[in-house]
Amino acid sequence: MEKKKFAVIGGGWSGLYALKYLLEEKLDARLYERESNLGGVWLYKEAQGGVYQSTHVTSSKTYLHASDFPLPDETPHFPKHDQVLAYLNSYANHFNLWSHIHFECDIRKIEKGRDNQWKVTLRCNGKEIKEVFDGLVIATGQHQIANDLRHVEPFDQFTGTTSHSISYKKPDDRIHRDKTILIVGGGETASDLAVELSTFARRIYMSIRGGQWFQERLFGDQPADLLFPKSFGFFGLYDNVWAKIGWTLFIRPFWGEGGTGISEWKPRCQLFHGFLNKSRDVVHKVASGTVIPKRKINNIKEQLVIFDDEKKAVHIDHILFCTGYRWSHSFLDDNFEKETNVEFLYQLIFPVNLPNLAFVGSARPIFGSIPSLAELQARRIAQVFSGRDFLPSATNMSIWLKKYWKRHAQLYPFEARLPQLVNQFEYADLLANELKIKPRLWKLFFSQPRKWYTIYFESPWSPFLFRMNAIETEEEKLAYLRHVNCIPRRDQVFFSFTLEIQ
């Protein structure tokens, strides 16, 4: 029997994971990347798309390790884009992926072929090629098509200059120097660019329509996202007692409502019920008066902007849209547009009626990192594509989706623009249960209680959790050591208990 062929579209973090795990299942897989190098959005280029010059990660490196290939020890807590790119190249080296990667191959069209196969039209090095595959993994990410609002009311009335963050690389004297700039958006890119441009522009206004939760990136000199151990979710991952205690004793008195105390940016939702912006440095710029916080925009007439609950208009020279991206894949046949919408993906991975198509990198955590969840998605896809596991029937997948989105609407009532939003711990456990790779905590409780305690009470979440099992083999022991290496110092843990068990 002829060996089945699988293609991975996209050579970023998610695509590399997908390729690695398909090959690990002894499948015939190859990856197609449009650029001449790996990296996806982490590949810096002068052209539109990808990172800007000053980009650093916003989640700490603990959430960025591959589960079987940690970042180098000397990597800073929040590495810059070139350090991320170097790591991805070393990952490809370590797992011998290069011979399976085809660069400068642009996917032009994907159509359904015979016997559930996929017909893929590519343009590689100037030549058009047609290939047929038995399965496809789409790993082009969430940051390809800008959510550009220039032609949407009221922005269509603006007569000044505009741009979207997708085209931003560094401050531009012609656009930003000594100008009054309005940044639209409340995400981390909006915050980072407000901070960066505040030293070039005359003044920055930052409009966040529905408010935003902010989280301090550091607690002391260590990443704040390491402070919550697995036991944090014992009483639930959302409105649990630890969250309420942390909110009452730490966040509100130290950082104010919403993590900033800025009334214009007060969030509509409760903590953990919306995206957490981890680029809080903008709050210092607000305090110095170089960034002016605003709520939604009510009206625009030429270059005069009126904000919510205000009568006096502000003159704006330039609007910078940091309004995110749209879930779109232009190379897919129009017939599949609805079926491949994120709201129709079982486990945010598999289209219900197209089981030999899968998406990786499709989940965005409230806090945490997309790559850490993408690795688990890639492992799940490889398991299904290899036949080691099977998906439920289309009917049962549809029932799951109905329940999932009903609960999602209750958990995240104001996040309609981010349907892919998930809780890092919860979604990781969902996939780990399917893969049967969660640490066997009950067994550890009786056989190795000290290690059980460390995992449950002392250590943060890390990808190494899903290589431990019962911590018996040499590989599992190595994963445990890597996991323990992520533990913050005891003096910088919110809830620290002393337990001496040999």
Side-chain angles (χ1 to χ4, degrees), residues 441-459 468 470-471 480 483-484 487-488 490 496-502:
L441 289 175
W442 277 113
K443 182 173 182 178
L444 288 172
F445 178 79
F446 292 104
S447 63
Q448 303 181 66
R450 189 66 185 87
K451 289 185 173 64
W452 167 83
Y453 179 82
T454 296
I455 292 170
Y456 204 70
F457 287 102
E458 295 181 325
S459 56
M468 288 186 204
I471 316 181
Y480 175 76
H483 178 72
V484 169
I487 298 176
R490 185 176 294 276
S496 178
F497 305 92
T498 301
L499 183 68
E500 296 298 333
I501 300 177
Q502 300 300 322

Side-chain angles (χ1 to χ4, degrees), residues 297-312:
I297 296 160
N298 275 351
N299 185 51
I300 296 177
K301 184 176 181 180
E302 296 181 344
Q303 287 183 251
L304 296 175
V305 178
I306 298 178
F307 296 96
D308 194 27
D309 295 331
E310 297 182 11
K311 293 181 179 179
K312 187 178 178 180

